[in-house]
């Protein structure tokens, strides 16, 4: 943990958490523990795939895959919800995009590898265990439309990639309760964002005055790609975190707040 997070730098500060309902609780709990005020504003909704029987059959058939890749903590949760007895060969390599995915896998007794330098597709693809995959069967577990760099890159390396979609992402159902909580939040306001799709959804769904306010406030994003998307959508003060982990997002928020106060 950085020195920034070792003190109560965020006490009383309002931070907007844009993670989906069901996955935001852990981050909101961390904020409360550090004295900050968490404002829940989900940018996505997650649900089990509508073709659950097919996904379940594919998971069962992939038992002999050489590599398993889970693209997010939600990919793990939905996969084991669909197939509680999910089996992976004892020789199979298991990979996750970030530390959060590893944590959920560990709760199912599965040891996996993840990038440490950057928690994104590029970081995952740089792992030594995925460098030589020619002729290997790779089961890629996630949602349609996500992490679209992984499958084509592994196929270029000679792998047989089977994408198994266990859940779906959609627009959140925002209501007056979300809007009123955001309107009540005091300045400086810091929004934490780790999904380009969530950002685009919020731009489309927020009432214009609330969106204008967020665009003028601090936005902490989890990658350079997301920073570019945010700037294209009119956000003026965009700060890039080292990854989408809670500690990295909050570390970037602390640093942004310190500069804001100068």
């Amino acid at each position: 943990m950085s020195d920034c997070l070792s003190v109560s730098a965020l006490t009383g500060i309002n931070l907007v958490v844009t993670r989906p309902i069901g996955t935001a609780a852990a981050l909101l709990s961390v904020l409360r523990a550090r004295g900050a005020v968490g404002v829940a504003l989900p940018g996505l909704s997650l649900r089990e795939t509508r073709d659950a029987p097919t996904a379940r059959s594919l998971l069962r058939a992939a038992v002999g895959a050489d590599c398993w890749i889970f693209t997010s903590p939600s990919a793990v949760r939905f996969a084991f919800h669909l197939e509680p007895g999910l089996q992976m060969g004892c020789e199979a390599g298991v990979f996750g995009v970030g530390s959060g995915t590893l944590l959920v896998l560990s709760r199912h007794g599965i040891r996996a590898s993840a990038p440490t330098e950057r928690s994104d597709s590029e970081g995952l693809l740089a792992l030594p265990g995925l460098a030589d995959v020619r002729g290997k069967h790779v089961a890629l577990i996630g949602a349609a439309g996500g992490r679209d760099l992984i499958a084509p890159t592994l196929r270029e390396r000679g792998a047989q990639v089977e994408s198994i979609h266990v859940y779906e992402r959609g627009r959140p159902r925002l209501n007056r309760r979300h809007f009123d909580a955001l309107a009540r939040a005091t300045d400086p306001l810091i929004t934490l964002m780790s999904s380009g799709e969530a950002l685009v959804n919020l731009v489309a769904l927020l009432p214009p005055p609330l969106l204008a306010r967020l665009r003028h406030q601090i936005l902490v994003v989890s990658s350079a790609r997301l920073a570019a998307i945010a700037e294209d959508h009119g956000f003026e003060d965009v700060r890039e975190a080292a990854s989408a982990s809670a500690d990295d997002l909050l570390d970037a928020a602390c640093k942004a707040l310190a500069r804001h106060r100068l």
Side-chain angles (χ1 to χ4, degrees), residues 69-126:
I69 298 174
F70 292 86
T71 60
S72 67
S74 295
V76 182
R77 295 188 187 99
F78 281 101
F80 277 90
H81 177 73
L82 281 167
E83 182 58 22
L86 182 61
Q87 296 292 318
M88 301 168 204
C90 60
E91 299 298 323
V94 183
F95 302 88
V97 173
S99 58
T101 307
L102 294 195
L103 178 61
V104 182
L105 283 167
S106 70
R107 292 172 181 162
H108 291 279
I110 299 169
R111 297 182 62 181
S113 301
T116 55
E117 296 299 320
R118 49 188 298 178
S119 297
D120 56 15
S121 298
E122 289 84 353
L124 177 85
L125 291 165

Side-chain angles (χ1 to χ4, degrees), residues 236-258:
E236 300 171 2
D237 190 357
V238 182
R239 313 297 177 94
E240 185 181 342
S243 78
S245 74
D247 275 351
D248 284 341
L249 290 171
L250 296 184
D251 185 47
C254 287
K255 292 173 181 175
L257 185 61

Side-chain angles (χ1 to χ4, degrees), residues 42 55 58 144 168-169 183 200 214 231:
L58 291 173
E168 300 173 357
R169 292 186 298 270
V200 171
L214 288 189
E231 289 165 359

Side-chain angles (χ1 to χ4, degrees), residues 117-162:
E117 296 299 320
R118 49 188 298 178
S119 297
D120 56 15
S121 298
E122 289 84 353
L124 177 85
L125 291 165
L127 290 174
L130 293 174
D132 183 9
V133 292
R134 183 165 299 278
K136 291 186 176 180
H137 176 196
V138 178
L140 179 61
I141 316 302
R147 306 287 182 187
D148 55 3
L149 180 65
I150 297 174
T153 301
L154 292 178
R155 289 188 179 112
E156 288 175 3
R157 295 177 184 177
Q160 175 194 345
V161 181
E162 182 175 27

Side-chain angles (χ1 to χ4, degrees), residues 159-241:
Q160 175 194 345
V161 181
E162 182 175 27
S163 295
I164 303 176
H165 300 145
V166 295
Y167 72 103
E168 300 173 357
R169 292 186 298 270
R171 281 190 170 186
R173 294 182 179 179
L174 300 181
N175 54 40
R176 179 54 56 188
R177 176 174 56 85
H178 295 107
F179 300 149
D180 288 348
L182 186 58
R184 289 194 302 268
T186 57
D187 293 341
L189 188 63
I190 303 176
T191 301
L192 308 177
M193 187 74 65
S194 55
S195 164
E197 189 175 352
L199 188 149
V200 171
N201 286 341
L202 291 176
V203 168
L205 296 174
L206 283 174
L210 293 180
L211 176 59
R213 184 183 178 207
L214 288 189
R215 281 174 164 153
H216 291 302
Q217 298 283 334
I218 298 168
L219 176 68
V220 173
V221 299
S222 58
S223 68
R225 179 188 62 84
L226 187 48
I229 294 173
E231 289 165 359
D232 286 345
H233 282 83
F235 288 83
E236 300 171 2
D237 190 357
V238 182
R239 313 297 177 94
E240 185 181 342

